[in-house]
Amino acid sequence: MPSRKVQALTLIGRITQQALEEEAAALGRLHARMRELAAEKAALRADLQAQAEVRSLEASAYLPGYIRAVRGEEGRIDAELVKLAEEARALEEALRARFLEKKRTEKVLDDATAAEAAEAARAEARALDDLAVMRHARGRPGPG
């Protein structure tokens, strides 16, 4: 039966892994939103390009207002992309820290498990030595 220390470290490892997975999923969602915004901005630019090529006099009267509206929308998208990029950097840093925490916990758990296994092996060796001494003291030959 694992010691309380090993049980606690195992639990900490599972909690850390779950937090790591949640943060990675959040980062994935953030990157997906950034790709959506970039695609939206590219579509606006393409539409602006297409509208700028319209040569009719009626349409040309509305072109300056349309250009201002597109530029305003691009500015909104750029501002949101900057904000999301900052959030992504912070989340990546948190993810990196969580990963290092997970690795440290795994190392401590491995060391504790190895120490318990070594202690169990020493205890078994002592028990066998005691048994051999008792058999020898009684004058009985050992197994074999």
Side-chain angles (χ1 to χ4, degrees):
M1 170 127 201
S3 70
R4 294 182 109 186
K5 179 180 182 179
V6 170
Q7 290 174 343
L9 287 169
T10 302
L11 178 61
I12 290 169
R14 283 197 309 261
I15 292 169
T16 304
Q17 178 65 34
Q18 183 178 1
L20 186 67
E21 289 169 3
E22 289 172 2
E23 288 171 350
L27 184 60
R29 288 189 300 273
L30 206 63
H31 283 155
R33 178 66 182 143
M34 291 170 77
R35 286 189 300 273
E36 289 171 7
L37 287 171
E40 187 178 327
K41 183 177 175 181
L44 277 173
R45 287 209 169 233
D47 190 51
L48 179 61
Q49 203 71 15
Q51 295 299 325
E53 292 174 5
V54 172
R55 304 287 182 194
S56 73
L57 289 174
E58 296 85 20
S60 64
Y62 297 103
L63 190 58
Y66 179 72
I67 290 172
R68 279 192 299 279
V70 168
R71 298 284 184 226
E73 187 63 14
E74 283 181 332
R76 181 198 64 79
I77 290 172
D78 287 339
E80 190 171 347
L81 281 170
V82 167
K83 181 180 153 244
L84 291 175
E86 291 171 1
E87 287 178 29
R89 277 191 296 279
L91 201 48
E92 286 167 355
E93 189 59 37
L95 198 58
R96 210 175 348 272
R98 183 79 63 189
F99 181 76
L100 291 174
E101 177 186 348
K102 179 181 182 293
K103 287 300 178 186
R104 279 192 301 268
T105 301
E106 287 175 353
K107 173 73 170 114
V108 172
L109 176 61
D110 290 345
D111 291 349
T113 303
E116 280 187 11
E119 181 56 38
R122 283 191 297 273
E124 184 178 352
R126 281 192 304 270
L128 290 175
D129 287 346
D130 290 345
L131 184 61
V133 167
M134 286 177 18
R135 284 190 174 160
H136 181 69
R138 291 184 180 169
R140 292 188 199 161

